[in-house]
Amino acid sequence: MSVIDSGEKIDLLLTDVILPGPNGRALANQALARRPGLKVLFMTGYSRNAIVHHGRLDPGVDVIHKPLTQAALAVKVRDVLDSRG
């Protein structure tokens, strides 16, 4: 969390859903507690239904699925950054 606590401007947190140790959801929750309003984009190799129904993510969060191209990632990042949420 040193980057989150650094005071540097951060526009977006990009994290995988499944991580060793605290998962991506826990990481995002910790970051959001320190930086309310931070935009978060999750990536995963699992289907949306699998990660939502197994309690890993809440419905409505921003997710991009692997494998992905740089172009697809760029479009999704721009979409998340431009969203009002």
Side-chain angles (χ1 to χ4, degrees):
M1 297 308 290
S2 62
V3 173
I4 296 296
D5 294 330
S6 71
E8 293 291 323
K9 183 177 187 290
I10 300 172
D11 296 312
L12 176 80
L13 171 64
L14 173 64
T15 182
D16 204 302
V17 174
I18 306 297
L19 298 172
N23 63 30
R25 180 180 175 183
L27 174 66
N29 288 342
Q30 290 173 14
L32 287 166
R34 290 172 168 88
R35 294 200 180 208
L38 178 66
K39 305 247 176 141
V40 178
L41 174 58
F42 293 96
M43 69 173 116
T44 185
Y46 294 95
S47 73
R48 183 173 195 85
N49 284 343
I51 58 174
V52 169
H53 290 119
H54 289 101
R56 292 189 181 96
L57 291 179
D58 296 325
V61 298
D62 290 300
V63 178
I64 191 165
H65 296 276
K66 299 184 286 186
L68 53 99
T69 64
Q70 288 180 336
L73 179 59
V75 167
K76 186 65 176 181
V77 165
R78 181 80 272 150
D79 181 52
V80 173
L81 289 173
D82 289 345
S83 70
R84 292 194 184 268

